[in-house]
């Protein structure tokens, strides 16, 4: 990921085809040692490709991946079905919290 991030920074800066030396320069400037094998693989996979097209293709692929956000709606229905029980439960929790707070220091401090 660090190699790809450096590649993207260079392309944003105007270098349309960053070399291994360019990427190493960016990584060295922030104290990160480049892995030559991974760098060669990255450059071979990106050779001759437009990075903006790759990003747009990747975005469209990610749009089809389920993110798990759809299942949360059913939890609210059970709370609404309970009706008046919810406020009573909240009051009981508040009382328990107040009781716990009073026992916090137990008459002495941690650094006494």
């Amino acid at each position: 990921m660090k190699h790809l991030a450096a590649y993207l920074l260079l392309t944003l800066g105007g270098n349309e085809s960053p070399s291994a030396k360019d990427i190493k320069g960016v990584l060295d400037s922030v104290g990160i040692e480049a892995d030559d094998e991974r760098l060669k693989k990255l450059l071979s996979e990106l050779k001759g490709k437009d990075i903006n097209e790759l990003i747009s293709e990747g975005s469209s692929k990610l749009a089809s991946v389920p993110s798990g956000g759809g299942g949360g709606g059913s939890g609210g229905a059970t709370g609404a079905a309970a009706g008046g029980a919810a406020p009573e439960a909240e009051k009981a929790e508040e009382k328990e919290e107040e009781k716990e707070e009073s026992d916090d220091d137990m008459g002495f401090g941690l650094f006494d």
Side-chain angles (χ1 to χ4, degrees):
M1 289 299 276
K2 58 188 171 189
H3 299 93
L4 179 60
Y7 185 92
L8 291 172
L9 284 171
L10 289 164
T11 56
L12 284 172
N15 186 346
E16 293 182 18
S17 181
S19 67
K21 183 179 178 182
D22 296 332
I23 295 172
K24 285 182 181 181
V26 169
L27 294 175
D28 286 342
S29 70
V30 292
I32 298 173
E33 186 176 334
D35 182 359
D36 290 331
E37 186 178 316
R38 289 185 181 187
L39 186 55
K40 287 179 186 176
K41 183 177 180 182
L42 173 72
L43 291 175
S44 67
E45 290 181 7
L46 294 176
K47 187 176 183 178
K49 297 179 181 176
D50 181 27
I51 194 69
N52 293 319
E53 289 178 15
L54 292 174
I55 290 172
S56 64
E57 287 176 21
S59 296
S60 64
K61 289 180 182 179
L62 281 175
S64 65
V65 176
S67 62
S74 64
T78 56
E88 292 175 11
E90 289 178 13
K91 290 179 183 176
E93 288 177 16
E94 288 178 15
K95 290 180 183 177
E96 289 178 17
E97 288 177 16
E98 290 176 12
K99 183 178 179 182
E100 290 175 8
E101 289 176 10
S102 65
D103 295 336
D104 281 343
D105 66 339
M106 298 172 67
F108 60 91
L110 183 61
F111 298 106
D112 286 346

